[in-house]
Structures are given as structure tokens and as C-alpha cells.
Amino acid sequence: MIEPRTHRAPRGRFVEGLASLGSLAGAGLLILVALAVGSLIPASDENIEHRQRPYAVQGGVGDARSTDKLDIRVAGVRGAGKIKDDDRTHDTGGVWIIVKVRVATRTEAGLIPYAAARDRHGRIYELSSRIEQSLNGRMLQPGIPLTGELVFEVPKDAATDLTVLFADNSLDRRMDRQVEIALPTVDKATVDRWLADAATTLIDTEVSTA
Amino acid sequence: MSGNGGTGAAAGALRGVASHLSLRWVAAGIAVLTVAASGLFGGLRPTEKPTVPVIAVHTAFDGGPWTVTVNRALTLKTLEPLKKTEKAGDRWVAVRVRMEINANETWNRIDDVIRLPGVKGLRTVEPSEFYLVRDESLLVRELQPGIPEEVAFLWQQDGSVPRPEAMDVELWGMTHRKSSLTDMIEWLDSGPRALVLDVPVEDR
């Protein structure tokens, strides 16, 4: 027996229009979602420097820390408004920060590839070339630590809170090990006292094996 | 039907022509098309040099990684005992500025700060020496961020060229933007950003 075919009443134009509008809205929503997801990708790209930042090996004064090439121990820090190296006195528009450090290469002879001071705002101050520095450019032998002073020139407002950085590459330190030694914080009065001191601070221009 | 046949015939004819074209003809065709297309946008006509703002002497100019203020221009017969000119009889041309590093790191590319485009007889386009007034020394090649310094940029000038009475000082700058090469935010696009016109040149 053949069942008589049932016929559905044709949908009105209004209903069809609504359905069509609904599918358009759905497509539009999908496009918006895709755009929203896409907009997150460049935002992530802008953070590439953060994602590729060096691997920090943190420590404080007196702590022994290592990069792949160097063993480092910061022994102390002092500040000054006027310093003297071998033959000249140097004043500054900022503050001189003098960091005593004991350093040796680990496996082969080499220099300190990178040493810098970083302030609390992230500004980086490399070793000053205004003066002769005993460890800057000094060839180090593996297993024979040398003690000397590293000298940085920083603005007055940066001198209160500094971290000294050591790394194995002076140009590209992305995703590389970086020793970060936090120097003791000092108050503004201490910085002012350094600057007001009329005496010239002598820089140790020789290294020692002590 | 006839339309399809026409299209097919045209495609066949094109294929026939293409199969007989040598690589040289294809390359020549591409070159002709390229020239024709570039012609629509001015072709090889020289473009106008972008103009830069003119600023006065003693006016601070923010060039991006640095702020620089041109204060004086000088010619010097000698810099000895600090430095001799490479050719006897040459003189020094100096621009003295106040300069502060705005970048967040020690800046050691200070040869990209100033040019003297109209001065004849300079031995180099970029300055050959930098004089740090505080130290009375030519040794420094870098400046620290946030510590303003008086600096003189120095060029050697052919001694047979007349001494300039006044000169234009071009101040360069850079832009902090994402590098398409490294994806890192870097200082790029080094180039002229401002001009200090007719700076009187003192003779020393």
C-alpha cells in the first residue's frame, strides 16, 4: 500500500528571510571571532623580546654564580662623584658605581664578554670607556680567578637600585644564561653623600689573584 | 556552442604561440610590462627629497634615541696634542652640541647624529672624531642614557677649500619600531630629521 505523500506547507517569505538573516549573522560572528583570535597573534609577537629574554641566574653580593663561560662573585660596591684612574680625574653628570668582582673563565681563556648595570627602569649601562678598567679586555685563564673593579657611570636617580649583569655574548643574549647580581639598595642621601665628597676616589687599576 | 568554440580556438592559438616563445622573449615581455606598470606611477622620474623641519640654534631636537641641541660651529687649525689631521694642512670642522641619550641603553653609534651636507672638502661624510668636553678627550665613543653631555663632532676638511663662514647642520634621527627582519623592537630608519640653517662658524 502506498502511503500518500504528505506535503509540508510552504514556509512564508518572512520565515525564510529570518533563517537567511540568522545564517548571515552566524557567518559574521565567525568572521569576528577569527579576527579577534588573529588580533591576539601580533599582540603576542610584540612581546617577542620578553619571550626571548635571557635566562636569569640571580644572586647577591658574595654569591658565586656562573654563565656558561664565566665563574663570577661580586665582592662589594662603592659609589663616587669623582674618580681617578692611572693619570686623570673624572667627574660625572651622574654617579660612578664601582663594583669589585672576582671572575675566572671556566674552560678556556677569554675576556669578560659582557658586563653591564641595569637600573630599576630597565635601562642598561655598559662599562664606562672614559677610564682605564683593569678587567675590561683582560684575558682570563680558566680556573685562575682575578679580582678587579668594574666601573659604571649611571644617572643619579638610577644609582639607588642597580643589578649587575654578566653574559657570554655582548651582542645577542637572547635565551642565553645571564648572571644578575642585585647590588645592595642605597637611599638618595647616600648617593648625595657620594657626590658631595670632595675627595677623589681612586680606582684599582690593577687586578689581583687574591 | 559557437562561443565555446571561439574560446577554445583562442586558447589553442595562445598555447601555440606560447610553445614557440623562447625564455628570452618571455623575460623581455615581463620587462616591458614592468616598465609600463612603473610608468603609471612616475617611472624613473626622480622623487622629491622629503623636507625636514628647520630649527634654530640652541633648540633641543628629539631625534628618537637622543636629544641634541646645536650650540656652536667652529673651525680649528689644530687639535694637537690630541690628534693630527691625516693630511698636513687640513683643518678641523667642529659642531658643539649638548646631547642626551633617550634610549634605554648605552649608545655607541654617535656617528649617526649629525651631518654637514653643504660643507665642501670634508674628508668623510660622518664625523671622524668625538670630543667629550667634560674629559677634554677624544677617547669616548659612547654615551650613557640619562646623562647629558657636551660633545663636539669633528670632521677633517681639505685645507685648500675656503673656510666656511656659516654652515647648515643636518640632525639625524631614528625610529623605534619592529624590525621586519628580526621581529624585535629596534631603533631603525636612520636619516635626516631636522636642519639648523646658517650656523655661524667661529675660527679658532
Side-chain angles (χ1 to χ4, degrees), chain A:
Chain A
M1 188 177 166
I2 298 169
E3 291 280 331
R5 292 180 69 181
T6 56
H7 294 278
R8 193 180 296 166
R11 290 193 294 183
R13 284 191 170 194
F14 177 71
V15 177
E16 281 183 1
L18 266 184
S20 169
L21 209 60
S23 68
L24 268 177
L29 190 66
L30 280 175
I31 290 170
L32 285 177
V33 168
L35 286 174
V37 170
S39 72
L40 292 177
I41 294 169
S44 164
D45 266 358
E46 282 173 7
N47 210 14
I48 192 165
E49 289 183 21
H50 180 71
R51 284 192 283 121
Q52 296 187 354
R53 67 192 183 280
Y55 294 103
V57 181
Q58 295 176 326
V61 172
D63 295 336
R65 294 289 183 269
S66 298
T67 64
D68 289 336
K69 293 181 180 173
L70 298 173
D71 290 328
I72 300 144
R73 186 167 57 81
V74 169
V77 60
R78 53 192 178 133
K82 241 186 303 183
I83 59 173
K84 190 171 188 299
D85 54 8
D86 273 340
D87 57 345
R88 294 191 63 167
T89 300
H90 302 270
D91 67 356
T92 172
V95 185
W96 293 110
I97 300 294
I98 305 138
V99 178
K100 192 165 197 171
V101 61
R102 189 170 188 263
V103 61
T105 52
R106 304 187 73 192
T107 56
E108 56 188 54
L111 311 172
I112 298 177
Y114 177 78
R118 183 179 65 202
D119 70 13
R120 65 184 184 283
H121 302 297
R123 290 185 296 187
I124 304 283
Y125 310 88
E126 294 179 10
L127 289 174
S128 174
S129 65
R130 288 181 57 198
I131 57 164
E132 290 293 323
Q133 300 218 22
S134 58
L135 281 171
N136 192 14
R138 174 79 179 214
M139 185 62 71
L140 304 168
Q141 300 299 331
I144 306 176
L146 295 179
T147 299
E149 288 187 318
L150 301 175
V151 183
F152 303 96
E153 187 183 18
V154 307
K156 189 179 161 186
D157 67 340
T160 53
D161 189 356
L162 288 167
T163 300
V164 184
L165 313 174
F166 297 91
D168 290 338
N169 192 319
S170 63
L171 295 176
D172 187 358
R173 294 176 294 285
R174 285 177 296 172
M175 301 178 78
D176 207 356
R177 188 185 297 194
Q178 178 169 275
V179 167
E180 303 185 355
I181 304 295
L183 301 180
T185 55
V186 293
D187 56 18
K188 286 181 181 172
T190 303
V191 176
D192 288 339
R193 201 175 62 246
W194 289 341
L195 292 172
D197 190 350
T200 299
T201 301
L202 282 175
I203 299 301
D204 195 351
T205 54
E206 299 293 326
V207 292
S208 74
T209 52

Side-chain angles (χ1 to χ4, degrees), chain B:
Chain B
M1 288 294 279
S2 62
N4 284 346
T7 311
L14 267 178
R15 272 197 298 273
V17 170
S19 66
H20 287 89
L21 279 178
S22 68
L23 194 60
R24 181 181 299 177
W25 278 103
V26 172
I30 291 172
V32 167
L33 282 175
T34 306
V35 170
S38 71
L40 294 174
F41 301 97
L44 299 177
R45 188 180 64 213
T47 56
E48 284 184 14
K49 201 174 175 183
T51 54
V52 294
V54 172
I55 61 168
V57 182
H58 306 303
T59 304
F61 174 74
D62 183 349
W66 51 73
T67 295
V68 65
T69 308
V70 174
N71 289 324
R72 295 169 72 186
L74 309 96
T75 52
L76 304 108
K77 292 176 188 69
T78 178
L79 266 182
E80 292 181 44
L82 295 175
K83 183 90 178 176
K84 284 184 176 178
T85 53
E86 285 173 26
K87 293 195 175 178
D90 278 7
R91 70 174 73 85
W92 294 93
V93 175
V95 177
R96 184 166 159 167
V97 305
R98 182 183 191 273
M99 188 169 162
E100 179 169 356
I101 300 303
N102 308 322
N104 67 351
E105 61 191 338
T106 300
W107 197 265
N108 49 27
R109 290 175 282 161
I110 56 176
D111 51 349
D112 270 352
V113 177
I114 284 181
R115 295 286 185 273
L116 304 177
V119 179
K120 294 190 168 48
L122 297 182
R123 298 294 187 191
T124 53
V125 173
E126 67 280 354
S128 60
E129 303 294 335
F130 309 92
Y131 179 83
L132 184 65
V133 174
R134 185 185 298 280
D135 278 349
E136 300 177 345
S137 161
L138 297 173
L139 295 176
V140 168
R141 308 296 287 192
E142 91 281 316
L143 293 174
Q144 306 295 346
I147 304 179
E149 292 288 358
E150 287 284 324
V151 179
F153 293 81
L154 292 145
W155 289 258
Q156 296 176 45
Q157 187 187 33
D158 184 345
S160 66
V161 172
R163 191 187 78 78
E165 298 289 330
M167 60 191 184
D168 298 345
V169 179
E170 198 172 65
L171 304 180
W172 281 33
M174 302 179 91
T175 309
H176 207 216
R177 67 168 175 86
K178 188 157 109 175
S179 162
S180 55
L181 198 64
T182 64
D183 268 355
M184 308 285 278
I185 305 292
E186 299 173 19
W187 287 106
L188 300 165
D189 310 325
S190 177
R193 296 289 193 277
L195 200 57
V196 187
L197 292 175
D198 290 328
V199 182
V201 180
E202 305 164 34
D203 190 22
R204 296 283 291 274

